[in-house]
Amino acid sequence: MSIKQFFFTTALTFFSISLSAHSFTVVLDRGSQEDTTITQEAFSCVQTIQRALQDAFPQARIILSCTSQEAITPLQVASFSNRIKADLHISFNFFTAKEVLQNIRIYTCLAPVGMQKKSNDLALIPVEKAYEQHAQESKTFRQKFFTAAKNAGSIPVFEPQELPLKALKTITAPSFLLEVGIGKSKEWKAYFPQLFEGLKEVIIVAMENA
């Protein structure tokens, strides 16, 4: 066995052990952006939120879906989140425009009538319906975020809505998406207090119910 193979095998073993001793896990996904500038803004924002939440919840694991600015697909993100058995999944959608009115929008994946009941046998559930397993929890958590974020600052926070979101359909954990508009460099910092307070409240409630 080469030295490279040895270290790779050791890393996999360590990762498997760390997963077996499962602690409450939150995945933060910065989303997919085609523009390099907005990708950098999104990564900086989500990374800052991750560090702040990790300080607030040292007993939990706050993990980024991607630790670089390279493009990844929603399916790759879902595969990662599902594989590590995340307890909560938060996606972000950062966008830019010449004139952006600051606001925060919250979305959960549209749940059809007669949605799949919760089951431990995920093998029988179509991948595009994975989100239905925790649709009710997702709605509860998005509402908790809405209330906490709205009360934490002056940036408008819109009432949560449901959309057929490709980014969330294949996620098995309770999940919702936050949409944030960026008009200029580092404008994400203005959103930070409300995003942080909203997510902090959600994690508190989610951990109590875990």
Side-chain angles (χ1 to χ4, degrees), residues 2 33 41 48-49 54 57 74 76 85 118 130 138 149 153 159 193:
S2 68
Q33 301 86 22
E41 295 290 300
T48 302
I49 292 173
Q54 193 65 77
F57 302 96
Q76 288 174 314
K85 298 181 179 179
K118 188 180 294 187
S138 297
E159 286 278 354

Side-chain angles (χ1 to χ4, degrees), residues 34-160:
E34 296 182 359
D35 182 84
T36 302
T37 300
I38 199 67
T39 296
Q40 293 172 344
E41 295 290 300
F43 186 75
S44 296
C45 180
V46 176
Q47 189 176 53
T48 302
I49 292 173
Q50 178 214 18
R51 291 170 178 169
L53 289 174
Q54 193 65 77
D55 288 341
F57 302 96
Q59 73 277 36
R61 296 190 305 167
I62 315 297
I63 300 174
L64 299 180
S65 64
C66 182
T67 56
S68 71
Q69 296 180 22
E70 295 182 2
I72 53 175
T73 66
L75 192 57
Q76 288 174 314
V77 172
S79 178
F80 170 75
S81 182
N82 296 342
R83 189 173 66 250
I84 66 172
K85 298 181 179 179
D87 298 286
L88 181 65
H89 183 103
I90 310 298
S91 287
F92 290 82
N93 178 37
F94 292 85
F95 67 93
T96 184
K98 291 183 179 179
E99 294 184 6
V100 176
L101 296 177
Q102 288 187 337
N103 62 73
I104 299 172
R105 296 178 184 269
I106 315 157
Y107 303 100
T108 49
C109 205
L110 182 63
V113 177
M115 65 183 180
Q116 179 74 42
K117 294 183 179 179
K118 188 180 294 187
S119 168
N120 292 324
D121 192 357
L122 297 180
L124 300 178
I125 301 173
V127 65
E128 70 275 6
K129 292 186 177 182
Y131 73 96
E132 293 182 15
Q133 291 294 295
H134 296 284
Q136 190 54 53
E137 290 98 323
S138 297
K139 291 181 180 180
T140 298
F141 295 154
R142 77 179 187 187
Q143 201 64 36
K144 293 291 183 181
F145 176 90
F146 168 73
T147 302
K150 186 177 181 179
N151 294 334
S154 58
I155 294 177
V157 183
F158 285 78
E159 286 278 354

